[in-house]
């Protein structure tokens, strides 16, 4: 058997995690600066049209203003930040510049409502902005406050989701090398033969190379994706709070069986808890409105 003492390279799977945290935070900073700039340029000409659109859908109803404001802020911030993060990952991918620019355009479009709302909130110069503020005060009550709350929730969702799904996002959208050496190959001889790394020793001191592991110690069979993880993700996408128990059961099964699909289960859990927050918020708003 292989001697396990100081013969196998240490696991460095988490060595890039601080760098990933820095990337996640950097995306927030870049989007914040871009939103402020956009609010100064796009806010004045589009503020009145945006306020009139909100007024038509709210119609002076308090509950509708809360729901529409919260959902608009949540989706606007979350979609903008996730799209910007994926765009930054995809640039170095093979064929990535076109993909990165396309996803970046989605981030830009999702950020426009937030930029216009920001210009109205800070009272940017211009008669159109002031008129937009008056329209929202009369025909869109509670919209602006709910939009701020939804934006905070969207930022929290982005931070939690990006940190939990870091490895899945990097593997799905990160750089793809043109060619990769077979596992364990550290070089080649002059005539093109592979040179394998030494990975350990047998009990009698004989070195074991990487290409000998498959012969002496066959690898375990590859297991598939946990079925409940897929179910949890589907339930989360369609707004079902059932994704919460299904996701937790899936994670327990994955820990016991070694199946893949942890990222899917976590994504379903995040979406499920988000759905629960939205449901609880709507119920509280309805109850408070009933006792006004």
């Amino acid at each position: 058997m292989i001697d396990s003492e100081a013969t196998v390279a240490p696991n460095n799977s988490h060595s890039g995690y601080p760098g990933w945290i820095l990337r996640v935070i950097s995306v927030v900073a870049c989007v914040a600066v871009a939103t402020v700039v956009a609010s100064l340029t796009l806010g004045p000409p589009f503020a009145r049209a945006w306020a009139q659109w909100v007024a038509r859908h709210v119609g002076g109803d308090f509950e509708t203003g809360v729901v529409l404001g919260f959902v608009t802020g949540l989706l606007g911030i979350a979609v903008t930040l996730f799209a910007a993060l994926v765009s930054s990952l995809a640039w170095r991918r093979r064929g990535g510049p076109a993909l990165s620019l396309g996803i970046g355009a989605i981030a830009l479009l999702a950020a426009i409502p937030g930029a216009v709302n920001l210009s109205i909130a800070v009272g940017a110069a211009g008669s159109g902005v002031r008129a937009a503020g008056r329209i929202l005060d009369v025909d869109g009550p509670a919209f602006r406050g709910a939009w701020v709350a939804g934006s905070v929730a969207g930022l929290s969702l982005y931070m939690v989701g990006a940190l939990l799904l870091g490895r899945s996002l990097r593997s799905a959208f990160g750089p793809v090398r043109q060619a990769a050496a077979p596992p364990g190959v550290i070089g080649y001889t002059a005539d093109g033969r592979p040179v394998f790394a030494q990975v350990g020793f047998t009990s009698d001191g004989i070195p074991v190379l990487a290409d000998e592991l498959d012969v002496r110690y066959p690898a375990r069979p590859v297991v598939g994706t946990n079925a409940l993880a897929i179910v949890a993700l589907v339930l989360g996408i369609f707004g079902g709070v059932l994704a919460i128990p299904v996701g937790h059961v899936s994670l327990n099964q994955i820990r016991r069986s070694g199946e893949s699909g942890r990222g899917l289960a976590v994504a379903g859990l995040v979406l499920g808890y988000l759905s629960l927050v939205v449901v609880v918020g709507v119920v509280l708003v309805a109850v408070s409105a009933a006792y006004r």
Side-chain angles (χ1 to χ4, degrees):
M1 60 183 295
I2 293 181
D3 181 5
S4 61
E5 295 183 2
T7 59
V8 180
N11 184 2
N12 293 321
S13 60
H14 298 286
S15 60
Y17 198 68
W20 175 249
I21 295 176
L22 180 61
R23 178 187 288 267
V24 169
I25 296 176
S26 299
V27 167
V28 175
C30 292
V31 169
V33 173
T35 302
V36 171
V37 173
S39 69
L40 298 176
T41 56
L42 299 178
F46 289 102
R48 186 163 187 162
W50 169 254
Q52 290 172 344
W53 181 89
V54 172
R56 284 197 302 270
H57 288 80
V58 174
D61 184 68
F62 181 85
E63 291 80 6
T64 304
V66 170
V67 174
L68 183 61
F70 186 86
V71 172
T72 302
L74 173 68
L75 294 181
I77 295 298
V79 171
T80 299
L81 291 174
F82 274 113
L85 179 63
V86 171
S87 178
S88 69
L89 287 172
W91 183 263
R92 295 179 58 193
R93 188 180 178 88
R94 185 170 57 242
L99 176 63
S100 180
L101 291 175
I103 299 176
I106 295 175
L108 179 62
L109 292 175
I112 291 177
V116 177
N117 278 326
L118 181 61
S119 69
I120 298 174
V122 299
S127 58
V129 175
R130 291 191 293 271
R134 290 192 294 270
I135 292 173
L136 290 181
D137 290 337
V138 175
D139 296 322
F143 176 85
R144 285 193 279 182
W147 175 79
V148 173
S151 299
V152 173
L155 175 61
S156 302
L157 173 64
Y158 162 76
M159 294 296 295
V160 173
L163 294 178
L164 290 179
L165 302 177
R167 182 176 298 179
S168 300
L169 291 172
R170 282 178 287 182
S171 62
F173 299 102
V176 176
R177 295 173 180 170
Q178 298 291 338
V185 174
I186 59 175
Y188 294 90
T189 61
D191 54 357
R193 289 181 298 173
V195 177
F196 292 91
Q198 179 179 320
V199 294
F201 298 91
T202 62
S203 56
D204 52 357
I206 300 176
V208 177
L209 302 181
D211 62 327
E212 299 176 305
L213 286 178
D214 292 337
V215 178
R216 297 189 183 190
Y217 312 100
R220 296 179 181 179
V222 178
V223 295
T225 303
N226 184 267
L228 285 182
I230 301 175
V231 174
L233 180 60
V234 172
L235 289 174
I237 291 174
F238 288 98
V241 295
L242 288 176
I244 297 174
V246 174
H248 283 295
V249 172
S250 173
L251 289 178
N252 289 333
Q253 291 183 354
I254 290 172
R255 279 194 292 266
R256 291 195 302 267
S257 65
E259 293 176 297
S260 60
R262 184 178 185 277
L264 301 178
V266 171
L269 277 174
V270 171
L271 294 173
Y273 278 114
L274 177 61
S275 300
L276 180 61
V277 170
V278 172
V279 170
V280 171
V282 172
V283 170
L284 291 177
V285 169
V287 171
S288 63
Y291 287 95
R292 280 194 303 163

